[in-house]
Amino acid sequence: MGNKQTIFTAQQLFDRYRDLAPQLVPLDYTNHPDVKLPYELIGSMPELKDNPFRQRIAEVFSEDGEGNMTLDDFLDMFSVLSEMAPRDLKASYAFKIYDFNNDDFICKSDLEKTLNRLTRNELTEDEVRMVCEKVIDEADLDNDGRLSLEDFQHMIVRAPDFLSTFHIRI
Amino acid sequence: MKVLTKCCIEGKRNIFNLLPVSCRSDFKAIMCSIRKLSTLAKRQYKTYIFLMIFPFISSSGSESDEDSMSEGEMAALKEEVEEKKKVIATLRNQPWRMKKRLVVLKEAQEFVEKFEGALGKGKGRKLYAYKVMMTKKLIKFKRDFENFKTACIPWERKIKEVESHFGSSVASYFIFLRWMYGLNLVLFGFMFGLVILPEILMGLPYGSIPRKTVPREEQETAMDYSVLFDFGGYCKYSFLFYGYYNNEPTIGVLKFRLPLSYLLVGVGIFGYSLMVVIRTMARNANEGGDGGEEGDFTFSWKMFTSWDYLIGNPETADNKYASITTSFKESIVDEQENQKDENIHLRRFLRVLANFLIVSCLGGSGYLIYFVVKRSQEFANMKKDNLSWFEKNEVEFVMSLLGLVCPPLFETIAELEDYHPRIALKWQLGRIFALFLGNLYTFLFALFDEVTAKLESEKVIKNSTEWVLNQYYSNYSSFYNTTDVPPPAVHPSDVIRGPCWETGVGIEFVKLIVSDIQVTYLTILIGDFVRAVIVRFLNYCWCWDLEAGFPSYGEFDISGNVLGLIFNQGMIWMGAFYAPGLVGLNVLRLLSSMYYQCWAVMCCNVPHERVFKASRSNNFYMGLLLLVLFLSLLPVVYTIMTLSPSFDCGPFSGQEKMYDVIMETIEKDLPAFIGNLFSYATNPGLILPAVLLMVLALYYLNAVSKAYQQANTDLKKKMQMARDEEKNRRNNKDSTNQVMKDLEDLLPNKSLIPPPTEEEPPPPDVVIEKGSKSPKMKPGAAAKGVNLQKDVSLAAPNPRAPVTRAPGPRKGPPGNARGPQPGPGRGRGRGGPPRH
């Protein structure tokens, strides 16, 4: 990828950030004002509002872990989710997103939550359990019953769809 | 830091100056050994050292010790600066928060600025500083240029809209279309700038020479719409087609060599396209991931990569949820039951039958095209007015019809085969490809027959023209009794013309492409738009629900459209040599196609119901494009090499073969030694060894690649084996080693099974048992002192650890047993009877 720039310039991103709450965000950022937009505003962006993981995304990229994002966090988020971000970077952030309890491991309960969000609770208990067991079976290399970052990365870098689906265009 | 520096200044200066010269090399050695330390420690240490030697390299110039700055220090400082630069460059890839990144960036940039300027010293300093400044400016310029380039990419917003509604696979078609548009724009630039423009600006105007004038007999109808739509009349004798171009070796004031340029552009179009396609394929291959086996991570991939983050529309999101759920259910069902072994013979028979039917379809369509082209040749000989529109455009009509009707027919026949959907799709694409290819090549062969016929007739006309000319000259000289005969004063439109087969071929291609465009647009209009209108408005008064059942709204046919695009491009490549205006036509077509299809998709189509995994197909389509490129290169190269050009039209008229232009240029215009060089290069004695060398290189690379693949599979197997071992050891607590299994069966006690691993806390039973070890020992067993606890805590339990206690009397299974129950008394530390 080399020196390729992101498709959107910083100015465009700043404009998008500001558009979410024009009364909160000042036009002049040279004094590094400490402005945080609450999660509700971020989650209502058209790119994110249909995403079942929008809350997790906001939590992972926000400084306080609650989903309230500063401009830096906002830039960070769209930079990682852009087309140009390297695969390993995306994989590590994807891991954080799917780790619901923030314990640096994707355990069975995290998997169940992910699956339920993906299927909107349409699958039965048995089916959910079966799928989660299968996933751990497939991807858990060090056999501790949960996916560590290395397990996750090892599995996701081989996925043909990962780069094209883990991508938001703004 | 500053205080430290100050103290060190004195100390260092003293130390260094006090060092005898021989020891100064030791200083160098110290610096070298520092390099061997770990990076982080090195950096801290070096920073410290550099602060010490900072006064020695400051640009104040007051220090006279500049000469004593050894090479080692310079190199070390340079390395440090390079490292900081690397940190800046890779900052983007680190998974840190933005704040941390900014802090590190600022630090690194300050460091680089401070010390970079100081690196240059003495005379070289100014040059070094200048170099550094120019590099910075260059980087900034490059970044701005990249920004500008990405801002210039057209249709980004439009594609994003399609993407958020339909997902990434439909959008990939439009991205492909945009890429094609870029390619065609470049090709058009070549053709227009190097062939069409010079001829228009510097060549002879219309009407001056025979080839540029409409013949007398056609002049009344030359402006009629019907004639123009058939690309006859004024169209035929314009810069759009091959026949217009003059064969003067150089034209105009600039002495532009048009025939040479025409030939080189014609071949260069293929070369450029080839380069671009291969470069894109290589780029896609890098990003595509190292294709792991499909079955390895089915569920994991489904869970983590099935949600398309690009979706920004609630309806699409609903569809996506539904398709993900269905996909999971399908995989679960697949996993739970094994594939039933159906009647293999019936399936095979059906597949053979289906293939037979399809091959016969393909053969039938090929014959139909051949037949129609032959008929069109007959029609060409008849008078134009007696023919209906249908008969005039029969060929194109039939070809488009076949392209429309056959693919759904193939799909229906393919249902006999009962393949997995992905495999069925591949077969379908392959068959459509074969259909298009067969049609195109049959068309070409039929055309080729026509060309040979025209060449024959040309000879006749040529002879008659020469005969007339000779007559004229002999009459003139005999009448006026001079040998200086002026050329016959005949109006250009009256001159006898040859059939000019190249323009004929060009016209055929243009007509084919135009009819293809018309059919595509009409299909979209009727098949999608009218259908959507009918379904929407007729639904109110129809018996069954039109939207849910038949016919419902159409889905966007990605593969059909992509194949159509690829074949269209193939026809352009073939026809561009004979009709330079064709590339311009294609640019217009792609432009309008983009807008039209974007509108049609948004207005009339619904998102796909089934998850379409098109991600790995990117290179598949590029591969098809490459194949089509090669296949369209063949006819053009064949005609350049073997067929002789028409004698009175086009830039190569009068030559034996078209490539003679190159020979002429080399002989007459280039210096002599290049001519010699070429004659040496084309010597078979040189070419054969070169070909041999290439074949050997291919063989070698193939062997190396196979070796790598083998190493890859071996590693994968090893990893898989290691995983299975661990898993079995954890789950079954039975030895997976066959030898151990046998040994176990032999021993009466079955007490060689390894104890549980360290993660589970050692059961209290073990502790109790240890404490109350039975005095009875198995004869021949190891001594009492063996620490069972230690065995439990080891990571890799040794199954051959000595037996330390006698098995207790058989009892029922204890309360807190783990894993499968091997039976009482089995295994040390397992809930055996503590009380006895």
Side-chain angles (χ1 to χ4, degrees), chain A residues 26-137:
Chain A
L27 271 170
D28 183 11
Y29 249 78
T30 47
N31 304 327
H32 303 284
D34 185 21
V35 176
K36 271 198 199 165
L37 291 187
Y39 163 69
E40 288 73 31
L41 288 175
I42 308 282
S44 65
M45 283 181 73
E47 286 86 358
L48 287 177
K49 68 173 167 41
D50 292 305
N51 196 319
F53 301 109
R54 58 188 177 279
Q55 177 138 23
R56 281 300 302 160
I57 296 175
E59 283 171 16
V60 161
F61 284 101
S62 65
E63 239 180 280
D64 58 3
E66 303 281 316
N68 307 317
M69 301 180 86
T70 64
L71 178 64
D72 281 343
D73 300 333
F74 189 80
L75 287 173
D76 222 358
M77 174 166 77
F78 281 106
S79 135
V80 169
L81 285 167
S82 82
E83 220 171 10
M84 310 290 185
R87 200 206 326 251
D88 291 332
L89 187 64
K90 284 195 184 204
S92 67
Y93 272 103
F95 181 78
K96 287 193 199 153
I97 289 175
Y98 294 122
D99 180 11
F100 281 79
N101 48 13
N102 286 322
D103 61 351
D104 287 338
F105 287 101
I106 294 184
C107 57
K108 223 166 174 200
S109 65
D110 293 332
L111 290 173
E112 280 173 14
K113 285 209 194 85
T114 309
L115 190 58
N116 282 326
R117 294 230 182 156
L118 273 177
T119 58
R120 283 203 293 206
N121 299 311
E122 294 264 325
L123 295 179
T124 66
E125 288 265 337
D126 273 342
E127 288 171 336
V128 169
R129 197 175 27 88
M130 208 210 105
V131 172
C132 294
E133 270 171 20
K134 256 325 257 175
V135 172
I136 297 213
D137 218 12

Side-chain angles (χ1 to χ4, degrees), chain B residues 516-526 588-594 596-597:
Chain B
D516 189 46
I517 296 173
Q518 285 169 340
V519 166
T520 315
Y521 284 11
L522 270 175
T523 325
I524 294 179
L525 197 62
I526 296 180
L588 286 175
R589 173 240 160 93
L590 288 175
L591 191 63
S592 61
S593 209
M594 183 61 153
Y596 184 56
Q597 281 189 305

Side-chain angles (χ1 to χ4, degrees), chain B residues 276-288:
Chain B
V276 168
V277 169
I278 289 193
R279 195 171 60 178
T280 315
M281 275 181 87
R283 212 182 290 158
N284 282 348
N286 275 341
E287 294 173 15

Side-chain angles (χ1 to χ4, degrees), chain B residues 285-306:
Chain B
N286 275 341
E287 294 173 15
D290 47 347
E293 293 103 45
E294 292 256 325
D296 259 2
F297 296 111
T298 327
F299 280 93
S300 316
W301 288 346
K302 270 203 170 63
M303 186 173 287
F304 294 116
T305 63
S306 56

Side-chain angles (χ1 to χ4, degrees), chain A residues 47 60 76 138 161 165 169, chain B residues 101 156 163 300 615 723:
Chain A
E47 286 86 358
V60 161
D76 222 358
E138 283 173 355
D161 292 341
T165 55
R169 204 190 287 263
Chain B
R101 268 190 246 192
E156 193 66 21
E163 209 161 24
S300 316
S615 46
R723 282 172 64 184

